[in-house]
Amino acid sequence: MEKSGTSRKVALAASVGLWALLAPVAAVAQDAEPAGGGAEQTDDGETGIIVVTAQKREQVLIDVPQSVTVVGGETLQRQQATNFQDYLSLVPGFSLEGDTPGETRITLRGANTGGVASTVAVFMDEVPFGSSTGLANGAILSGDFDPFDLNRIEVLRGPQGTLYGASSFGGVLKYVTNAPKLNSLEARGQVGVESTKGGGLGYNSAAVINAPLGSEMALRVSAFWRKDPGYIDSIGNNLLLSLDERELGTTLVDDDLNNRKTYGGRASLLFRPIEEVTVRLTAFAQNLNSDASSLFEVDPETLDPLYGGLVQSLYQREPTKVKYRVYSGTVDWDLGFANLLSSTAFSKFTEKFETDFTFAFAPLVNLLAADPATSEALVGIAITDEPVTRPLGVQLFQTTATDKFTQELRLSSPDNDTLEWLVGAFYTHEKSGIDPQNILATEFGTNDPAPDVIPLAEIFLRSKYEEYAAFANATWHIMPRFDLTVGGRLAHNKQKADLLISGPLAGSSEIPDLKSDETVFTYSVAPRFEIDDRTSVYARLATGYRPGGPNVVPPDSDVPLTYDADRLTSWEVGLKTEAPGRLWSLEVAAYHIKWKDIQLFALVNDIGINANGGKARVNGIEVSAALRPIRGLTIAANGAYTSAKLLDDAPNPEITGGFAGDPLPYVPKWSGAVHADYEFPIASATGFLGGSISRVGRRGVNLDQFDENGELVRIPGYTEVDVRAGVNFERFTLQAFARNLFDKRGITSATGFDGATFPNEAAGGAVVRPRTIGLVATVKY
């Protein structure tokens, strides 16, 4: 079941940069070596060059002819950024929607229609993570990896289909981990405590150790654990009546429903058997557990909270458990004439969640359970053998999982003043399943299924995805200051799915061996001209796509058995410049995107399907700038203007939403942030102060959410202020911070405007975490 970005509005079944901004600040204190892709430092401690792997080879960031944001590990630590929401102010053109940890829809440059398949590819080093299809909720199950012991995050904006393949047409978010270091014994540990307004105390701890195992081998092991306090309550409203006016009971009475815990770790072994060969083996695991979503009930007109605070009307618990597993092996072999890289990986995500359907279905289910004859007359089957007079609740239970094997081989030339080239081959085999998705009657007020009531709906969707691809990329240095980068990728995928739908609330449909296959070619062309050693301009034409595939076919419908890939073409021009001594730096990019055959999530007979719509377009400008007026002080800013809208009506827009001219969901027209960080000496220590102001503008929500006037719902913009301060005693650091200092209730998600999703005709909203104040201590060895 595609969750459409929320945990309470669930359709029955379904496929149901900132290179000049913060990276320099981060690089000053990074532990990573330049050879590993980190920032190189000069002898005076100032940042020299920043090296990235955006084009799958090490390059100086200013030389890359596209928009790339780099956020260093030290910046993430200083700003206490631990998840997608915290990255929002660091990356221009980045937007998101979600209300449950591990369930977040991330969007770059407005490429979002609320569909099921992802538009932003997530990588951990060389490993693509997540489902490539529209059959496993990949759009909202992006890898929200804990950033502890990261070297950096690279965000590539715009289509990346040539080098990164399917589902990267909005861009790529790449986590670059710290590799083990040979001949270096290091350790670091940290503990922290924080308090959230309206919630309780949270705690976190993490540690990493790098240990040499002889002269040619090293092991790096890290672990992390954090508890974030909840701030959503349930107050025991007596709201539920059955159809015969028999009162059933009240909602739960509890505080801080949305507590969450995150824990896991990474182990990485680096081995250099000979000078030319490096082998790295890595295993990563992370669990994200939450007791409920962060939704609360709001007035559908004003979006103000009901019941005097942030309150959910829950009759039963709504736990969600998400697991990430990534296992990879990389061999890097210097052949002299070229470098050969082999990346082999197996990754897996699993999500198990429960959703309270009591308000929506319990009145009907209690009526049917009390009278088997009525049940048979209304839904064609008696849901019980004997009348049930005790109150029943209704709960959705769902497990979604993807197992993914990938193999990539790349051969790349050394750096060259005339021609640099790269050729590669890629293979992936994925097995996914929404297996099962059950709607069950439960003992009222609990998550225990009622043993004497048959399943109300059972849905099984199992799918396979297999892809072969070949790609190439080359940079021709036509003149000393002019070069041209071109690339292409030819990919072929085959898919298969088996579908089973049954139960009185869902009907009956069984379709085995749903199949599809397609071949797609993507390309990029990027000329670049250096005005001088510190200024360059570029243009970029690039394409991307999301695979089509087998469709979910509801009972008694004529839904097509397959849906098509959607394709995107982007035109971009940009400027990158910096002053001597890096006193200031500036990056500007403007782009125009055309998107056709857009994939949409639609409801047919209350079953979620994938559908193709018409066209959309996105126009935008992104700016990143930094100023370093005195030693130790960096003032940085970024901003984005994004105009993203549909050009055609969606199929059946009166039902599904999506009219020509509607804005693409959760994409603010204006967004931006200003960050200031200052380091200064204090006796034998170093002090630091910092602050950030970020603004997210007004946005539309999912295309099927209408207000009382029939207009698409818009949610207001918000401004958030964060502050931080600390002192570094070389091996010991103490830091205090406050996020959302003025406790703004910035809405991040909204749903349920149909008047039937929540009690009392309320809608649902989620907000940024209330004011959180914390203290973190770090020790290094």
Side-chain angles (χ1 to χ4, degrees):
M1 180 177 295
E2 200 278 324
K3 297 181 71 173
S4 193
T6 72
S7 64
R8 293 297 298 277
K9 184 183 182 301
V10 187
L12 259 185
S15 56
V16 144
L18 203 53
W19 64 276
L21 185 58
L22 294 169
V25 180
V28 173
Q30 289 231 6
D31 295 329
E33 296 172 323
E40 189 172 308
Q41 298 175 29
T42 56
D43 291 339
D44 64 358
E46 293 296 325
T47 302
I49 56 176
I50 300 170
V51 178
V52 296
T53 54
Q55 295 195 117
K56 297 205 171 184
R57 65 186 304 137
E58 291 188 349
Q59 292 178 283
V60 178
L61 184 55
I62 197 172
D63 293 340
V64 178
Q66 61 175 291
S67 297
V68 181
T69 293
V70 177
V71 183
E74 180 68 14
T75 295
L76 296 170
Q77 171 70 20
R78 286 281 178 91
Q79 300 206 17
Q80 289 298 297
T82 62
N83 54 55
F84 287 143
Q85 180 67 47
D86 298 332
Y87 308 154
L88 199 60
S89 68
L90 303 174
V91 182
F94 182 60
S95 53
L96 55 83
E97 181 264 341
D99 55 58
T100 303
E103 287 184 10
T104 304
R105 186 188 302 274
I106 58 175
T107 302
L108 288 167
R109 290 189 169 175
N112 172 32
T113 55
V116 185
S118 177
T119 63
V120 177
V122 175
F123 277 69
M124 176 177 284
D125 295 319
E126 299 291 339
V127 182
F129 184 84
S131 170
S132 300
T133 78
L135 301 176
N137 287 344
I140 62 172
L141 295 177
S142 307
D144 195 355
F145 302 134
D146 190 277
F148 180 74
D149 196 40
L150 276 188
N151 182 290
R152 65 189 183 274
I153 294 175
E154 295 181 13
V155 182
L156 289 61
R157 302 192 296 279
Q160 308 295 326
T162 301
L163 290 177
Y164 291 92
S167 299
S168 64
F169 65 19
V172 169
L173 190 152
K174 186 176 183 180
Y175 297 85
V176 181
T177 64
N178 282 320
K181 298 179 183 179
L182 299 175
N183 304 311
S184 178
L185 178 62
E186 300 176 0
R188 175 165 58 99
Q190 71 177 44
V191 294
V193 62
E194 59 187 44
S195 175
T196 297
K197 183 179 178 182
L201 289 177
Y203 308 91
N204 64 83
S205 61
V208 58
I209 183 169
N210 187 98
L213 305 175
S215 60
E216 302 300 334
M217 185 180 294
L219 176 68
R220 191 177 188 94
V221 179
S222 63
F224 53 87
W225 178 90
R226 65 181 303 112
K227 173 183 178 292
D228 295 310
Y231 48 87
I232 303 294
D233 302 329
S234 184
I235 60 174
N237 288 323
N238 190 3
L239 295 170
L240 184 64
L241 298 176
S242 68
L243 292 184
D244 61 359
E245 300 301 315
R246 176 165 52 90
E247 190 172 300
L248 296 178
T250 64
T251 55
L252 297 174
V253 179
D254 201 0
D255 295 334
D256 306 336
L257 291 172
N258 59 326
N259 287 302
R260 66 186 185 189
K261 292 180 181 178
T262 304
Y263 56 93
R266 179 171 54 247
S268 189
L269 179 70
L270 185 70
F271 175 49
R272 191 167 62 189
I274 59 176
E275 185 67 27
E276 295 80 14
V277 176
T278 300
V279 180
R280 184 181 177 191
L281 304 175
T282 301
F284 172 82
Q286 179 173 327
N287 288 18
L288 298 91
N289 296 339
S290 57
D291 296 333
S293 76
S294 299
L295 282 175
F296 58 94
E297 278 135 70
V298 300
D299 183 304
E301 295 183 28
T302 66
L303 300 183
D304 292 333
L306 299 178
Y307 316 124
L310 306 184
V311 173
Q312 279 194 69
S313 295
L314 281 183
Y315 300 92
Q316 287 132 212
R317 306 286 176 179
E318 291 190 328
T320 297
K321 296 182 178 181
V322 177
K323 293 182 179 180
Y324 303 143
R325 301 292 186 266
V326 182
Y327 310 97
S328 65
T330 304
V331 179
D332 196 334
W333 189 358
D334 185 354
L335 300 174
F337 76 96
N339 193 83
L340 177 65
L341 186 138
S342 170
S343 173
T344 307
F346 175 78
S347 61
K348 179 178 181 126
F349 73 72
T350 303
E351 182 199 35
K352 294 183 178 181
F353 71 86
E354 301 176 24
T355 300
D356 180 11
F357 273 12
T358 301
F359 175 75
F361 291 111
L364 174 61
V365 169
N366 278 273
L367 177 66
L368 299 179
D371 187 350
T374 299
S375 174
E376 192 161 3
L378 290 179
V379 298
I381 187 173
I383 68 171
T384 61
D385 292 330
E386 300 292 335
V388 175
T389 57
R390 68 185 187 278
L392 298 173
V394 180
Q395 192 86 344
L396 167 73
F397 299 84
Q398 180 170 323
T399 297
T400 305
T402 291
D403 295 347
K404 182 169 187 168
F405 171 81
T406 60
Q407 173 65 54
E408 181 165 305
L409 291 171
R410 297 201 305 269
L411 191 67
S412 57
S413 69
D415 293 343
N416 189 282
D417 291 336
T418 303
L419 180 68
E420 295 164 332
W421 52 265
L422 178 152
V423 294
F426 174 80
Y427 171 76
T428 184
H429 183 277
E430 303 175 20
K431 294 176 64 178
S432 298
I434 296 179
D435 188 6
Q437 179 188 86
N438 291 338
I439 299 177
L440 305 178
T442 60
E443 305 297 344
F444 187 85
T446 77
N447 294 39
D448 301 327
D452 48 352
V453 181
I454 68 171
L456 306 173
E458 291 184 299
I459 298 160
F460 298 87
L461 177 61
R462 302 184 181 112
S463 61
K464 293 182 180 180
Y465 176 91
E466 190 173 30
E467 179 186 325
Y468 303 84
F471 58 92
N473 195 69
T475 299
W476 178 23
H477 299 279
I478 301 172
M479 295 187 294
R481 292 193 179 275
F482 180 65
D483 53 62
L484 176 67
T485 299
V486 296
R489 185 185 190 102
L490 183 66
H492 178 75
N493 72 70
K494 298 185 296 183
Q495 299 184 58
K496 177 183 176 182
D498 299 303
L499 171 68
L500 173 64
I501 301 175
S502 64
L505 295 185
S508 178
S509 178
E510 182 175 5
I511 306 179
D513 290 333
L514 285 161
K515 293 181 180 179
S516 73
D517 69 276
E518 61 187 350
T519 299
V520 178
F521 179 71
T522 54
Y523 62 89
S524 62
V525 180
R528 174 180 169 272
F529 178 70
E530 291 184 4
I531 298 174
D532 56 40
D533 291 342
R534 295 184 177 86
T535 303
S536 66
V537 292
Y538 69 88
R540 184 172 186 260
L541 168 63
T543 62
Y545 79 104
R546 276 188 301 185
N551 213 345
V552 174
V553 181
D556 303 320
S557 73
D558 57 356
V559 169
L561 297 181
T562 62
Y563 62 99
D564 297 331
D566 52 353
R567 302 165 190 252
L568 181 150
T569 303
S570 170
W571 292 263
E572 177 181 346
V573 293
L575 165 73
K576 298 181 180 184
T577 183
E578 63 184 22
R582 297 182 62 82
L583 174 65
W584 54 263
S585 50
L586 174 68
E587 177 178 355
V588 181
Y591 60 88
H592 170 68
I593 290 172
K594 294 177 68 175
W595 186 1
K596 66 179 182 179
D597 298 326
I598 56 176
Q599 291 180 13
L600 299 166
F601 177 73
L603 291 178
V604 175
N605 298 339
D606 290 328
I607 303 292
I609 69 161
N610 288 304
N612 289 102
K615 297 178 181 178
R617 70 106 177 105
V618 187
N619 294 325
I621 300 174
E622 297 161 348
V623 180
S624 301
L627 175 66
R628 305 168 186 85
I630 60 175
R631 185 179 179 88
L633 174 63
T634 297
I635 302 171
N638 72 76
Y641 167 80
T642 310
S643 175
K645 67 179 183 180
L646 295 175
L647 297 181
D648 300 320
D649 288 351
N652 301 313
E654 295 82 3
I655 300 173
T656 65
F659 290 90
D662 281 349
L664 299 186
Y666 291 103
V667 178
K669 183 166 286 190
W670 296 97
S671 61
V674 177
H675 308 268
D677 288 275
Y678 180 51
E679 291 191 355
F680 51 92
I682 303 177
S684 60
T686 300
F688 56 89
L689 296 171
S692 301
I693 302 175
S694 60
R695 174 70 182 176
V696 175
R698 187 170 180 252
R699 293 140 289 150
V701 299
N702 286 335
L703 297 173
D704 61 350
Q705 301 294 296
F706 306 103
D707 62 21
E708 61 178 3
N709 299 317
E711 300 291 332
L712 186 68
V713 173
R714 307 301 210 271
I715 55 178
Y718 65 91
T719 301
E720 185 175 345
V721 176
D722 303 333
V723 294
R724 49 198 172 269
V727 59
N728 182 1
F729 296 95
E730 187 176 358
R731 294 192 180 277
F732 176 75
T733 302
L734 187 64
Q735 177 181 349
F737 65 90
R739 292 194 298 265
N740 194 8
L741 180 64
F742 298 108
D743 195 35
K744 295 296 184 179
R745 288 183 174 173
I747 297 176
T748 61
S749 180
T751 190
F753 291 86
D754 56 3
T757 304
F758 298 92
N760 294 331
E761 298 185 344
V767 293
V768 297
R769 178 167 286 273
R771 180 172 56 238
T772 299
I773 299 173
L775 188 67
V776 178
T778 304
V779 178
K780 295 181 180 179
Y781 171 76

